[in-house]
Amino acid sequence: MTDPSMRDPARPRRLPAFLSAALTGAYAGIALQCLLAWSSEPDGLDWSDAGAMVPIVAIYGLIALPFVALGLFVFGIPAARLFGRWRDRPWMGLVAAVCGALAGKLAYHAIDRLLFFGAYKLWTIERVDLGLCYGVPAGLAWWWFNRRD
């Protein structure tokens, strides 16, 4: 009988799927938010502002991490249980993106009502929609990292 605490040296260590998806969702979300916001500038992207993107993504990604993890905990774990038997199917990527978009909209709506002024409109899609910016990458990452485990 093998000891479950012993690790196979041929298999590399990986972060758990939940932590990997939360990190990917937080950092991809803030990068997407910055790119969409800067692409809507009337004069285009100012390259002096592009250098500020690295610390902004690093700091705001860290701030977004607990909120993305909370969204994954509330929406991602039940969705993984619901769709678990089909997780290896190629069309599940589209389902994960749609579920992530819906979960991101709902999670950001709740966060906006609790912490901010409640100006986020749940049923409209804006150019820089924070629920979609964070939800879609987190949903896709959750699906992708669950497939490999």
Side-chain angles (χ1 to χ4, degrees):
M1 175 170 280
T2 60
D3 185 11
S5 65
M6 297 299 293
R7 191 174 77 77
D8 181 14
R11 186 174 180 192
R13 288 187 94 157
R14 295 187 298 216
L15 290 174
F18 185 83
L19 182 59
S20 299
L23 285 167
T24 302
Y27 283 103
I30 188 61
L32 195 58
Q33 179 184 351
C34 287
L35 288 173
L36 287 173
W38 281 334
S39 70
S40 64
E41 291 289 323
D43 298 331
L45 178 64
D46 184 12
W47 288 105
S48 63
D49 291 340
M53 188 174 177
V54 174
I56 287 172
V57 167
I59 293 168
Y60 280 96
L62 194 60
I63 292 169
L65 183 61
F67 299 105
V68 172
L70 180 64
L72 280 173
F73 184 74
V74 171
F75 298 107
I77 291 174
R81 296 222 184 260
L82 180 66
F83 298 114
R85 71 176 121 170
W86 300 296
R87 74 179 184 180
D88 292 328
R89 303 279 172 92
W91 51 266
M92 276 305 296
L94 180 62
V95 172
V98 170
C99 287
L102 183 61
K105 294 282 284 181
L106 290 171
Y108 192 76
H109 180 71
I111 290 166
D112 183 56
R113 296 284 183 241
L114 292 172
L115 299 179
F116 304 119
F117 301 111
Y120 185 70
K121 296 176 183 76
L122 184 62
W123 302 113
T124 60
I125 296 176
E126 299 174 12
R127 179 166 172 77
V128 182
D129 193 321
L130 298 182
L132 296 178
C133 284
Y134 291 92
V136 172
L140 285 171
W142 179 237
W143 166 69
W144 182 260
F145 291 123
N146 269 320
R147 282 181 57 179
R148 70 172 192 185
D149 287 341

